[in-house]
Amino acid sequence: MNHNSKTALITGGTRGIGRAIALALAGQVENIALLYAGRRDAAEDTVNALLGKGVKSLAFACDVADSAQAKAACDQAREAFGPISILVNSAGITRDGLTLRMPPEDFKRVIEVNLAGAFHTIQACYRDLMKAGWGRVVNIGSVSGLMGNPGQMNYSAAKAGLVGLTKTLARELAGRGVTANLVAPGFIDTDMTRELPDGTLARALAQVPMGRMGKAEEVAAAVNYLCSPGADYVTGCVLQVDGGMYM
Ligand code: NDP
């Protein structure tokens, strides 16, 4: 298969880690569809950056937590570019709070966006992946899903759920030449972590043997590898990019 004729779809691909993944994948695909929640300026900026790299790109606003919206966005991407062969689920939110005080709706919303959102896009792209005889799914988890994190019962549960989801998909599609893997970042410098109070960040960094935050580009490099032909025999794995935080 000519790897220059591929289409990648990246949820949350307009900002932070997802944007860095889009820019990295620009080296190995021809078309990139980005899904985002609503920040249009960021979406336009990332689309323009991709166009500048010679990649065709469109961004579609949708709430991945809503199965109909997620399917409609994936369908629009397919109409524009053809079948999706690389799917990266990076859309994610946090709604942190101590368990005793966490409103049930905050628990549900984080599960719906971070976990059900990935299920929705996978379902919407499943036939494309199955038929092509080659494909890649990479879900962005978190060290929180592997080790737990006080104040993140919703987020840790969603990210742990993604591990099981990823391994199930890996088993379902292995015979079709499609791999499914999860990348689990530690503390990465993006808008998400810039919102953290200083004390929280300092406590988090104290747990990182490398003593610094990671860069979105460092996560993107791992995703880029997993999407490359060189990773044909790597499936069902959890690849941590966390400066040694969890080991
Ligand atoms: P950002 O907040 O920088 O970007 C989030 C992206 O997801 C944006 O493109 C946003 O769109 C999109 N998004 C949010 N909610 C929805 C939704 N309901 N439907 C569609 N798109 C949505 O996040 P990061 O880049 O920091 O995080 C990316 C992923 O990495 C997340 O899954 C996160 O949990 C994970 N992660 C991040 C870590 C970190 O330290 N930053 C650590 C470990 C994991 P819009 O711009 O329109 O809001």
Side-chain angles (χ1 to χ4, degrees), residues 9-160:
L9 186 146
I10 307 166
T11 75
T14 56
R15 279 197 293 125
I17 291 171
R19 176 187 158 103
I21 292 168
L23 294 172
L25 286 182
Q28 58 166 318
V29 301
E30 192 177 66
N31 313 305
I32 299 185
L34 309 168
L35 270 51
Y36 68 105
R39 291 203 196 175
R40 203 175 159 151
D41 52 339
E44 282 171 3
D45 192 65
T46 305
V47 164
N48 286 333
L50 290 169
L51 293 174
K53 282 179 165 267
V55 176
K56 290 184 203 131
S57 179
L58 288 169
F60 304 96
C62 77
D63 179 3
V64 292
D66 180 313
S67 61
Q69 286 188 39
K71 182 176 182 310
C74 293
D75 288 349
Q76 281 177 284
R78 184 181 303 105
E79 271 164 38
F81 297 136
I84 313 301
S85 47
I86 295 178
L87 169 62
V88 180
N89 283 303
S90 185
I93 57 163
T94 50
R95 287 205 182 158
D96 298 354
L98 293 175
T99 301
L100 268 178
R101 290 194 214 125
M102 182 178 285
E105 51 274 22
D106 282 5
F107 186 87
K108 285 187 199 143
R109 180 67 186 158
V110 168
I111 298 280
E112 280 163 7
V113 174
N114 296 26
L115 178 57
F119 166 68
H120 295 149
T121 56
I122 286 166
Q123 206 170 42
C125 298
Y126 202 94
R127 284 195 178 83
D128 286 356
L129 295 164
M130 217 170 60
K131 282 187 199 156
W134 188 95
R136 297 284 189 259
V137 178
V138 180
N139 295 316
I140 307 301
S142 167
V143 284
S144 291
L146 307 178
M147 60 193 278
N149 195 21
Q152 288 199 315
M153 186 168 272
N154 48 5
Y155 186 78
S156 301
K159 295 300 191 184

